[in-house]
Amino acid sequence: MREVIDIPAQLAAAQEKFNKEAGRAFIAALPDLTARFLDRWELRVTGAPMHGVSALVLPVDRADGTPAVLKLQIRDDESEGEPIALRLWNGDGAVRLLDHDEPTGTMLLERLDSSRMLAHQPDVHEGVLVIARLLAHLHATPAPEGMRRLGDITAAMLERAPSALDRIPDPAARRLVADWAAVVREVADEPGDRLLHWDLHDENVLAADRAPWLAIDPKPLAGDPGFDLWPALANNFDAEDIRWRFDAMTDVLGLDRARARAWTYGRLLQNSLWETEDGRPLNDNDLEIGRRLRDASDQRRS
């Protein structure tokens, strides 16, 4: 008998909000898609559905009893590189890919312990160091041909920046964003070639039996490691802790601080463009991160 899967209402609402018609079509097709892969890969559902903004995740057992998770998601520019990156990392710092259907983007993944998330750890500094150590493993892999590239993203950002700046009403914030764009322009010709995670925050790090912590849910691209630092600066935001986190991560990763700062500005610029173009105010925490990194740079030069 076909197993009936309840589609979480929050997932349906998120797809409606962010992907409109494509999101509605994905949600409508999800029950049949789920049933198809449960049958194709001989899986048995063993727990309640989990979800983020774009994916349904089902705890399952394989035919031989091996625990796994089935991840079904809408394909987009960010998610389509996920199975490629996971295959290349092959479990070194990240969850293992067990099977993959390229046309739909459906994946069968190693099951980690979703009850033990890095976000639940009380020591924020240790959490930052865990993320930095994981990034060191992930960045050791060069990005493959065909992966979306930071160089292309940067060129598009710099082209959009002048128009976005005109829409920022506060002069101080506008100057800060303009400074980010100017610094990014200086490093744009050397965007890097490492395989980046892009979204490694403390809710995307889970415990496992084979390793203390592993990364999940990459939105991979080819680029400079400095572009991967922002999530750990913004997580559990504490303005007084920004400089410690930045220095600690660049130490663990062995990064040139000026270059890492420039690409962190690139990430702040990316966020500010999205917010401005969608008619939202700039994020106060991002502005503070930019100010603190600028002031730390000024202090080192003085």
Side-chain angles (χ1 to χ4, degrees), residues 245-262:
R245 297 184 194 189
F246 180 79
D247 288 351
M249 284 191 289
T250 52
D251 281 347
V252 170
L253 290 163
L255 301 181
D256 175 82
R257 284 198 177 131
R259 185 174 179 82
R261 184 179 299 106

Side-chain angles (χ1 to χ4, degrees), residues 2 7 22-36 72:
R2 171 173 165 171
I7 307 303
R24 289 191 291 271
F26 169 69
I27 293 298
L30 202 45
D32 286 339
L33 187 68
T34 303
R36 190 168 107 209
L72 306 108

Side-chain angles (χ1 to χ4, degrees), residues 15-292:
Q15 285 300 307
E16 171 74 27
K17 177 179 179 181
F18 294 110
N19 293 310
K20 306 296 189 291
E21 181 57 38
R24 289 191 291 271
F26 169 69
I27 293 298
L30 202 45
D32 286 339
L33 187 68
T34 303
R36 190 168 107 209
F37 282 99
L38 290 175
D39 181 63
R40 173 174 160 182
W41 288 334
E42 300 182 72
L43 306 173
R44 180 175 64 87
V45 177
T46 58
M50 300 174 286
H51 68 92
V53 171
S54 61
L56 178 71
V57 179
L58 292 173
V60 296
D61 281 351
R62 306 181 83 176
D64 64 0
T66 302
V69 294
L70 178 65
K71 182 175 183 179
L72 306 108
Q73 62 188 346
I74 192 166
R75 287 195 61 177
D76 57 23
D77 290 342
E78 293 180 355
S79 66
E80 68 179 7
E82 181 176 358
I84 299 169
L86 293 178
R87 189 173 291 116
L88 287 170
W89 287 325
N90 193 29
D92 183 13
V95 64
R96 280 199 175 102
L97 178 70
L98 304 178
D99 213 333
H100 169 234
D101 179 69
E102 197 278 333
T104 64
T106 303
M107 292 181 290
L108 188 66
L109 301 167
E110 168 188 21
R111 192 192 301 177
L112 308 183
D113 188 347
S114 60
S115 70
R116 290 190 291 153
M117 183 183 292
L118 186 60
H120 300 156
Q121 299 301 306
D123 187 340
V124 173
H125 281 187
E126 179 56 28
V128 170
L129 293 173
V130 166
I131 288 173
R133 294 175 195 129
L134 287 174
L135 288 175
H137 284 272
L138 304 182
H139 294 165
T141 300
E145 291 295 325
M147 184 66 66
R148 66 189 182 119
R149 311 198 79 78
L150 180 56
D152 298 332
I153 293 169
T154 300
M157 287 196 300
L158 293 175
E159 185 175 333
R160 290 152 51 204
S163 174
L165 287 168
D166 289 340
R167 292 182 242 171
I168 300 174
D170 178 65
R174 188 166 58 247
R175 283 194 299 272
L176 191 58
V177 176
D179 287 345
W180 297 344
V183 173
V184 170
R185 192 169 286 109
E186 293 176 1
V187 295
D189 289 340
E190 298 180 29
D193 65 352
R194 298 292 91 189
L195 186 53
L196 308 185
H197 184 288
W198 188 83
D199 195 28
L200 196 57
H201 54 76
D202 59 9
E203 292 185 354
N204 275 345
V205 179
L206 299 180
D209 291 336
R210 68 175 178 86
W213 299 106
L214 293 169
I216 64 169
D217 290 345
K219 307 290 188 289
L221 70 156
D224 188 282
F227 201 68
D228 248 355
L229 304 184
W230 171 80
L233 297 175
N235 254 171
N236 306 297
F237 183 76
D238 180 350
E240 299 300 323
D241 207 35
I242 291 168
R243 182 168 176 178
W244 183 92
R245 297 184 194 189
F246 180 79
D247 288 351
M249 284 191 289
T250 52
D251 281 347
V252 170
L253 290 163
L255 301 181
D256 175 82
R257 284 198 177 131
R259 185 174 179 82
R261 184 179 299 106
W263 283 115
T264 301
Y265 287 163
R267 190 63 181 276
L268 295 171
L269 178 63
Q270 184 180 56
N271 293 347
S272 69
L273 291 174
W274 285 337
E275 288 157 351
T276 301
E277 291 165 354
D278 287 346
R280 300 189 302 268
L282 298 181
N283 183 283
D284 287 339
N285 291 353
D286 276 357
L287 293 172
E288 187 62 20
I289 289 170
R291 283 191 287 265
R292 296 278 176 150

